[in-house]
Amino acid sequence: GSNTITASGTNCGGSAITISNNYAATGDTVTDNFPVGTTTVIFTGSDGSTSDTCNTIITVTDNVDPTITCPADVTATTSSGACSQFVPLTASATDNCGATTITNDRTAGGANADDSYPLGVTSVTFTSTDASGNTDTCSTTVTITDNVPPTLSCPSDLTVVTNVPTSCTASISISDATFTDNCGVVGGSVTNDSIYATASNENASGDYPAGIHTVTFTATDSNGITSSCQTTITVDPTLQLTCPADLTTNTDNGVCIDSISGLSATSGNCGYSPISIVNDYNGGSDASDDYPVGLTIVQYSASDLAGGSASCTFNVIVVDAEDPVISCSPTTISQDANSSACEAFVTVPLVTASDNCGAPTITNDVTGGGASASGTYALGDTTITYTATDASPLANTDECTITVTISDNTDPILTCPSDTSITIPAGSGSCTAAVSLTPASATDNCPLIGSINNDHNGGGADASGNYDATQTTVVTFTISDNVGNTDSCNTNVFVDAEVELTCSASLSLNVDPSNSCSSGSNTITASGTNCGGSAITISNNYAATGDTVTDNFPVGTTTVIFTGSDGSTSDTCSTVITVTDNVDPTITCPADATVNTDFGVCNAIVSPSLATSTDNCNTPTITNDYTSGGASASGPYPLGSTTVTFTSTDSASVPNSSSCQTTITVQDNQPPVINCPSDVTVITSTCSSTVTLPSATFTDNCGTAGGSITNSYNGGGANASGTYGPSPTTVIFTAVDSNGFTSTCSTTVTIDVGLEISCPANVNSNTDTGACDDTITGLVATASNCGLSTITITNDSPHATASAADASGDYPPGSYTITFTADDGTETVSCTTDITVSDNESPAPGCTAAYTVTLNRLNSWNYSIVTSDIETTTNDNCGIDTTTISGDLDYNFETFLAYYNGETFSVTLSTTDVNGNTNSCVTPIDVSLGAGSPTCGNSVFTNPPDLSVEYMYESFNFEWFGNDLSNDWQLNLDLYSSDLSVNYQNIVSNYQANLNLDSYIGLHKILPNTYQIQATFNNGVNGYTYGPFCAVRVVGTLRDWHTEE
């Protein structure tokens, strides 16, 4: 509410004091409705030479709870396939000080509690909290019920056959009926209605009699909703027939058949009807009979008077077990072998055989030629076994034999290996040679049982072995076959020898320092042998000194090759002399050095002098372990001391080397480079602000490790983040590197109090009841700049009726965006609020309680209802746009008389207001027949009792009442018809009246067995006029009606 604050000053009676304030141009007094929050009013007093300030802080607290509106309670059913349902729920809230925060205890959606709700009752509590912590709550109940029946799956239909004649019932084992449900199967159950089932649950197994049984299964879920399905179980008492067991027997003695008895079948059908049995072997009820050798399949067939049938088969096997008889002649045969082979062709006489069940099959085990065994036979004795086998499955047999003898008288043929020459190679160390000869071989018309021999080594067919050099050796081979036939042959073997040379062993020598780069004097020689052959001459490739070389050999490897020859063969050998340099070179290193680091880096480029070296044999190679520069170690050196080792290496095969060292020392003399955060200006609505600054950083030619940064503001090291006042603050940062050198920089932080504005929350509302606008209050914007200057707030709403910061007012239907603007003299800011006002009030149409339409023959033949007939007063808060009528609008005298059957009539008045809302009302319509309206008499024609009577007569009374007739006009109708199935028939009319009226009467078929009487008459004034109309119903069937004579 309105409050006043003041300020006063004193200066001991000096000059007049002028007082001003930062809130309003009201001097020492401020009166206002202060906004929620903290407002600081600063008063300043001055007498022209001195001044002073004081301030008053006004704190306004919002203790008014917001108003929350919950969505209506919801009742819904579960969705298909789930035990829940998705329900949209949105709460809304208003508050005297602007927007509120809405939460709910169901979801994290704030005002929106849209969710999938489970079966049962769920209460959702919504809470609205304004910016001051005031709250309001409400709740919505969501009730989800289950209306989805369970899904039941019955076991498959089952057909079984009883074990007749043992039992006429069947023990049925059937699978369980199962079900699923959107809310799960827990708490549900399945039952069955079978009277034969062991239990009435989901399993209908049990003992069922013959017949067809339909079992109904019913599933009930946990919410009492049911579904059912059926399974058919059929027990079939099929006729049973049992054949005799399969039979195996032997033929009777001396014949090829067997006489069998006791082959009758048995049957049963639970005694339902007599059974007839017949077999397909002899056509009788007993299959006992004579059966041939082999398998006979006998089928019995049975039938009963109930239409049942069955069949079975059994096997009769008659076996021939009697052996055949075979005869061989002669029993021995002798013959010589062919000269080119160890075999001979022999003609063997045929053998014969007989059997009780036909001719047997004859085979032999030599040629496979059956009864004939003629063919080629090998040397020695061959016994031919003949076998006679009959056709019985037992394969009965009989045997006899013939022996064939073949003799050999042909000599073998021996083949020796070819003559051979061989030379003993140099270096073998022997004057004999190992000679490999191809083994001798032999052929004969019969296999050779004996072995081949030779006179050189007694090694049989192979005379390979050691043969002496410089001579020819003759080797003789012999062979004898298994019956004493012989053959022999010879092979010549010649052996020669090559020259073999032997050299001095190789030498490994060091240089002789007195000879610089060579060894002292050394001698090498060579000698040769050729198994006592011709004289050997020796030469070498180093000097013309024959078999001896003497010299001072150079550093490295020298190979001396000696060659020896006897005129026909030659040989070589060599001696390798290796002279090694084992003398180390000498080396001189550059002097030690101390330098400072180069600018910006933690090292220095140093160029020491070159290292030098000498060697006895050649110029050595110099390397160092710091760079790849050889004798030069120039390059960048790190902070500190670095020792460089130089090494001199000569080119000897095993290199000789020597080394020395130089020390390079690098010192740091450079301060670090520091980087401060950029200057910061923070715009805030408070008089101080927490400022987060980036950390200061530094770099150093030798790196940041071991260094640190401090600041002059909070002692927080490299980071000076903290709370800063409104005046500029300069922060000094100092960096120290690892070698003690320092550098500084600074950052200025400035706090700028900015102007902030807060708009009221958006509004969605409806027009007030009975009005075409909505009175909206609480549309107040607020602004703050930490009290540094007076703030002016304005709004651009055309409907605002309050102060510049308050846009409250009467808003007609529509959408509005209101812009609030705050200005403190240095800064201008704005925000917007959206307002939507809807007209949801339906119009109120006015209908008459009832309306009467009057029809008559004289002047109201037709009538159409118009809006003014039924409308009274129609109102709407914002105005009516359109009004229409619909329903039973048009009425006709003739049609009403002809077809009216007690129906009711009404007209609907529909209105639409200017904002699209609609409403309607209904007026019932009464129809009244005025003067000249017709009435009908008896309207039922009935057949006479005897439909066979040829001529029938019926009369129909028709009365007309009219204001223009002085007397009733009565018409008696005589009906004549030969075929009432046609659409239109004429009838003759007789009438009585006081007026001279011409009249015509017709009968018109309008519905089955329903006809319409139509009369026309001329009253001599208006001409012919149609009417009246009466519907009549024919009872029964009209046939052959004629005019009675």
Side-chain angles (χ1 to χ4, degrees):
S2 178
N3 288 272
T4 300
I5 60 174
T6 62
S8 61
T10 180
N11 63 353
C12 296
S15 303
I17 300 172
T18 301
I19 300 177
S20 62
N21 69 77
N22 67 336
Y23 188 80
T26 54
D28 59 357
T29 302
V30 174
T31 301
D32 201 2
N33 296 323
F34 292 97
V36 170
T38 300
T39 301
T40 301
V41 180
I42 302 173
F43 291 91
T44 302
S46 175
D47 61 4
S49 60
T50 63
S51 63
D52 192 15
T53 61
C54 65
N55 60 55
T56 299
I57 298 176
I58 302 95
T59 302
V60 179
T61 302
D62 174 20
N63 61 351
V64 179
D65 292 338
T67 301
I68 189 168
T69 302
C70 277
D73 291 344
V74 176
T75 298
T77 59
T78 56
S79 59
S80 178
C83 198
S84 61
Q85 179 59 272
F86 182 83
V87 177
L89 295 178
T90 302
S92 62
T94 60
D95 187 65
N96 61 318
C97 285
T100 68
T101 301
I102 301 177
T103 61
N104 72 79
D105 61 358
R106 172 69 184 180
T107 72
N112 188 317
D114 298 354
D115 202 0
S116 179
Y117 284 80
L119 185 72
V121 178
T122 301
S123 178
V124 182
T125 299
F126 293 87
T127 301
S128 172
T129 305
D130 65 14
S132 298
N134 303 304
T135 63
D136 189 19
T137 62
C138 62
S139 63
T140 296
T141 299
V142 178
T143 303
I144 305 298
T145 60
D146 179 21
N147 67 342
V148 180
T151 300
L152 179 62
S153 176
C154 277
S156 301
D157 293 344
L158 180 67
T159 299
V160 297
V161 177
T162 58
N163 187 18
V164 176
T166 304
S167 174
C168 290
T169 63
S171 179
I172 302 299
S173 177
I174 192 169
S175 60
D176 292 349
T178 60
F179 78 97
T180 60
D181 189 66
N182 63 315
C183 288
V185 299
V186 176
S189 64
V190 179
T191 60
N192 72 78
D193 64 353
S194 173
I195 62 175
Y196 304 108
T198 303
S200 61
N201 56 15
E202 67 277 1
N203 191 286
S205 300
D207 294 333
Y208 285 75
I212 299 174
H213 309 280
T214 299
V215 180
T216 299
F217 291 89
T218 300
T220 304
D221 67 13
S222 58
N223 296 306
I225 303 174
T226 63
S227 60
S228 62
C229 59
Q230 293 181 329
T231 297
T232 300
I233 298 174
T234 302
V235 179
D236 183 4
T238 306
L239 172 65
Q240 301 294 307
L241 178 66
T242 304
C243 280
D246 292 343
L247 177 66
T248 300
T249 182
N250 293 331
T251 56
D252 294 337
N253 188 28
V255 294
C256 213
I257 61 172
D258 185 28
S259 295
I260 305 173
S261 60
L263 300 180
S264 60
T266 60
S267 63
N269 63 357
C270 289
Y272 287 163
S273 63
I275 301 172
S276 173
I277 301 176
V278 66
N279 75 80
D280 65 353
Y281 184 72
N282 58 19
S285 59
D286 189 345
S288 299
D289 210 331
D290 293 337
Y291 284 81
V293 169
L295 170 65
T296 301
I297 300 174
V298 181
Q299 176 174 303
Y300 272 101
S301 298
S303 62
D304 58 22
L305 298 181
S309 63
S311 64
C312 64
T313 60
F314 70 97
N315 300 328
V316 176
I317 301 175
V318 177
V319 179
D320 173 19
E322 186 174 339
D323 292 337
V325 177
I326 191 170
S327 175
C328 290
S329 179
T331 58
T332 61
I333 299 174
S334 296
Q335 190 170 320
D336 288 338
N338 298 334
S339 61
S340 61
C342 195
E343 60 187 15
F345 184 85
V346 179
T347 300
V348 181
L350 298 175
V351 299
T352 59
S354 61
D355 186 66
N356 65 315
C357 278
T361 300
I362 301 174
T363 60
N364 71 76
D365 61 356
V366 174
T367 66
S372 172
S374 297
T376 300
Y377 283 80
L379 186 70
D381 293 334
T382 300
T383 298
I384 306 170
T385 300
Y386 293 89
T387 303
T389 306
D390 64 15
S392 169
L394 299 179
N396 303 302
T397 61
D398 190 20
E399 294 181 349
C400 63
T401 61
I402 295 177
T403 299
V404 176
T405 301
I406 304 299
S407 300
D408 175 30
N409 61 359
T410 303
D411 291 337
I413 298 174
L414 182 63
T415 301
C416 282
S418 301
D419 291 344
T420 301
S421 296
I422 191 170
T423 300
I424 299 173
S428 64
S430 173
C431 286
T432 62
V435 179
S436 177
L437 297 176
T438 302
S441 61
T443 60
D444 192 49
N445 64 322
C446 290
L448 286 169
I449 303 300
S451 60
I452 299 174
N453 294 312
N454 74 78
D455 60 0
H456 178 69
N457 61 8
D462 189 355
S464 298
N466 292 326
Y467 287 78
D468 293 333
T470 66
Q471 68 178 23
T472 298
T473 302
V474 179
V475 181
T476 300
F477 295 87
T478 60
I479 182 65
S480 175
D481 66 13
N482 59 329
V483 293
N485 302 308
T486 63
D487 192 16
S488 65
C489 61
N490 297 322
T491 296
N492 298 317
V493 179
F494 174 74
V495 178
D496 195 5
E498 290 183 343
V499 172
E500 181 177 353
L501 202 63
T502 302
C503 289
S504 298
S506 295
L507 300 176
S508 292
L509 307 171
N510 290 327
V511 295
D512 185 350
S514 63
N515 291 324
S516 184
C517 209
S518 63
S519 68
S521 178
N522 287 272
T523 300
I524 58 174
T525 62
S527 62
T529 180
N530 61 354
C531 292
S534 302
I536 300 172
T537 301
I538 299 176
S539 62
N540 69 79
N541 67 335
Y542 189 79
T545 54
D547 60 357
T548 301
V549 175
T550 299
D551 200 2
N552 296 323
F553 293 98
V555 168
T557 300
T558 300
T559 301
V560 179
I561 300 173
F562 291 91
T563 301
S565 174
D566 64 359
S568 60
T569 64
S570 63
D571 192 17
T572 63
C573 66
S574 63
T575 297
V576 178
I577 302 95
T578 302
V579 178
T580 301
D581 174 16
N582 62 346
V583 178
D584 293 337
T586 61
I587 187 169
T588 301
C589 281
D592 295 341
T594 298
V595 299
N596 291 327
T597 56
D598 293 339
F599 179 76
V601 295
C602 198
N603 55 46
I605 302 299
V606 181
S607 299
S609 60
L610 299 178
T612 59
S613 179
T614 61
D615 186 65
N616 63 317
C617 282
N618 49 50
T619 300
T621 299
I622 301 175
T623 60
N624 72 78
D625 62 357
Y626 187 72
T627 72
S628 59
S632 172
S634 297
Y637 282 76
L639 188 71
S641 294
T642 301
T643 299
V644 181
T645 299
F646 292 88
T647 300
S648 173
T649 305
D650 64 15
S651 58
S653 58
V654 178
N656 305 295
S657 64
S658 59
S659 62
C660 62
Q661 292 180 330
T662 296
T663 299
I664 306 296
T665 301
V666 178
Q667 304 175 125
D668 178 23
N669 64 345
Q670 301 177 44
V673 177
I674 188 168
N675 297 301
C676 280
S678 300
D679 292 344
V680 175
T681 297
V682 177
I683 298 176
T684 179
S685 61
T686 62
C687 293
S688 64
S689 177
T690 299
V691 179
T692 300
L693 294 176
S695 295
T697 61
F698 78 96
T699 60
D700 189 68
N701 62 315
C702 288
T704 60
S708 64
I709 298 177
T710 59
N711 75 78
S712 63
Y713 181 70
N714 61 9
N719 191 286
S721 298
T723 301
Y724 285 79
S727 60
T729 301
T730 299
V731 182
I732 305 299
F733 293 89
T734 302
V736 181
D737 69 10
S738 59
N739 296 307
F741 294 98
T742 65
S743 60
T744 62
C745 63
S746 65
T747 296
T748 299
V749 178
T750 302
I751 304 301
D752 183 6
V753 178
L755 176 61
E756 292 185 352
I757 188 170
S758 175
C759 278
N762 295 333
V763 176
N764 286 294
S765 65
N766 295 321
T767 55
D768 294 335
T769 302
C772 196
D773 55 26
D774 181 29
T775 301
I776 303 176
T777 61
L779 298 178
V780 180
T782 60
S784 174
N785 65 355
C786 203
L788 296 180
S789 61
T790 300
I791 303 171
T792 301
I793 302 177
T794 60
N795 74 79
D796 62 357
S797 172
H799 302 288
T801 59
S803 66
D806 189 350
S808 300
D810 298 329
Y811 287 79
S815 296
Y816 311 91
T817 297
I818 302 173
T819 300
F820 292 87
T821 301
D823 188 345
D824 64 0
T826 59
E827 185 179 359
T828 300
V829 295
S830 63
C831 61
T832 60
T833 295
D834 293 330
I835 298 176
T836 301
V837 177
S838 302
D839 172 22
N840 65 346
E841 187 172 337
S842 298
C847 287
T848 59
Y851 185 78
T852 301
V853 175
T854 302
L855 300 175
N856 59 60
R857 178 183 59 80
L858 299 178
N859 53 15
S860 297
W861 191 265
N862 297 298
Y863 188 80
S864 294
I865 293 177
V866 295
T867 302
S868 60
D869 292 338
I870 66 169
E871 184 179 17
T872 57
T873 300
T874 298
N875 298 310
D876 186 72
N877 61 319
C878 288
I880 299 298
D881 183 24
T882 60
T883 301
T884 60
I885 58 173
S886 61
D888 303 316
L889 302 179
D890 299 315
Y891 298 85
N892 175 269
F893 181 83
E894 176 183 352
T895 303
F896 184 80
L897 291 177
Y899 298 106
Y900 177 68
N901 192 27
E903 297 92 346
T904 59
F905 304 98
S906 64
V907 173
T908 300
L909 176 69
S910 300
T911 61
T912 303
D913 67 14
V914 293
N915 292 309
N917 301 303
T918 62
N919 203 354
S920 63
C921 59
V922 178
T923 295
I925 305 300
D926 295 328
V927 180
S928 173
L929 298 180
S933 298
T935 62
C936 294
N938 178 23
S939 61
V940 177
F941 292 115
T942 306
N943 283 337
D946 187 359
L947 296 179
S948 63
V949 176
E950 182 177 0
Y951 298 102
M952 296 298 156
Y953 173 81
E954 285 285 344
S955 65
F956 177 80
N957 293 325
F958 182 89
E959 295 179 349
W960 179 274
F961 298 95
N963 295 331
D964 60 340
L965 298 180
S966 59
N967 295 306
D968 291 344
W969 183 70
Q970 180 174 343
L971 177 65
N972 293 321
L973 301 180
D974 294 332
L975 300 181
Y976 170 82
S977 174
S978 61
D979 182 9
L980 286 179
S981 65
V982 298
N983 287 336
Y984 194 86
Q985 289 293 323
N986 292 330
I987 60 176
V988 179
S989 62
N990 295 321
Y991 59 89
Q992 299 173 356
N994 294 328
L995 299 178
N996 183 18
L997 299 176
D998 293 333
S999 177
Y1000 171 84
I1001 303 299
L1003 180 64
H1004 182 207
K1005 181 178 182 182
I1006 58 173
L1007 290 172
N1009 288 336
T1010 301
Y1011 298 82
Q1012 186 182 83
I1013 302 266
Q1014 175 181 289
T1016 64
F1017 62 91
N1018 188 342
N1019 60 9
V1021 179
N1022 298 321
Y1024 282 95
T1025 302
Y1026 288 96
F1029 298 88
C1030 294
V1032 296
R1033 182 169 60 88
V1034 177
V1035 179
T1037 302
L1038 294 174
R1039 64 174 67 179
D1040 297 330
W1041 282 23
H1042 302 277
T1043 302
E1044 187 177 50
E1045 298 298 335

